[in-house]
Amino acid sequence: MGILEIRKYPDSVLRKKCESVKEITYREKALFRDMLFTMHTFKGIGLAAPQIGIARRLMVAEIGEAVIKLADPEIVKVKGSNKMVEGCLSLPALSVEIKRPFEIEARGLNEEGRAVEVKAKGLMARVIQHEIDHLNGKLIIDYAGLLQRMKLLIRR
């Protein structure tokens, strides 16, 4: 296991729409493992492949005992909504209040390459949505108001 470098905004890989992952090989399993280790090292609760410089649709998340590793995740159902302040390992000096669905159903491939459906609510649902945003090139700054964006750009 190795600690991977977290890419920081404005690294261009963070804005790429990631490539689909059609099958899980040893490479993807190793990436899942290293991504989870890196996420723990930096005290995160979710991590997407572009955050480590890889423009592929892979994400990991962990809340308590629940660990999710998904390739090609997509949200297929949403319910309810709430607002919460989110941070991001790729934008360490920024937090943004974001309104998202409270409950979701997502599908993708698990680390064994099987198609799975994941039901999540609360914080885990939020983390999955946050990581899927990364896979689509979207960042929390995109939810920020103009003043917050200006502050971030001034700090750069």
Side-chain angles (χ1 to χ4, degrees):
M1 271 187 255
I3 299 172
L4 305 170
E5 177 190 352
I6 301 286
R7 299 296 179 93
K8 305 283 194 288
Y9 178 84
D11 191 311
S12 64
V13 72
L14 297 171
R15 291 300 192 176
K16 289 186 177 178
K17 185 157 174 63
C18 294
E19 292 177 28
S20 185
V21 176
K22 295 300 179 195
E23 77 175 303
I24 303 298
T25 67
Y26 175 79
R27 179 177 178 226
E28 286 77 21
K29 288 180 182 183
L31 271 171
F32 278 141
R33 184 184 61 244
D34 289 346
M35 286 171 64
L36 204 56
F37 184 72
T38 299
M39 183 189 79
H40 290 150
T41 300
F42 291 100
K43 310 232 182 301
I45 56 175
L47 191 67
Q51 292 181 274
I52 55 162
I54 298 170
R56 301 194 65 222
R57 295 186 69 79
L58 297 166
M59 58 140 303
V60 297
E62 182 174 6
I63 306 292
E65 300 295 314
V67 177
I68 293 176
K69 301 173 188 176
L70 285 176
D72 261 359
E74 64 177 327
I75 296 171
V76 294
K77 191 174 182 182
V78 298
K79 183 178 177 185
S81 69
N82 72 342
K83 286 183 180 180
M84 188 175 183
V85 174
E86 295 183 26
C88 181
L89 294 173
S90 293
L91 291 145
L94 182 72
S95 57
V96 179
E97 185 176 61
I98 301 172
K99 183 177 179 180
R100 294 191 189 269
F102 183 74
E103 293 182 46
I104 65 162
E105 287 183 28
R107 67 174 159 224
L109 299 177
N110 69 10
E111 66 184 317
E112 301 305 320
R114 289 190 297 271
V116 295
E117 238 181 54
V118 176
K119 293 181 180 183
K121 63 182 175 180
L123 186 57
M124 182 60 88
R126 180 168 294 275
V127 172
I128 293 168
Q129 292 171 83
H130 178 109
E131 302 314 326
I132 290 174
D133 275 355
H134 274 297
L135 303 179
N136 293 322
K138 189 170 186 177
L139 303 172
I140 62 172
I141 191 173
D142 299 329
Y143 294 95
L146 181 59
L147 184 59
Q148 245 183 329
R149 286 186 200 189
M150 289 173 60
K151 284 181 184 177
L152 179 67
L153 294 174
I154 289 169
R155 284 186 276 194
R156 299 284 165 204

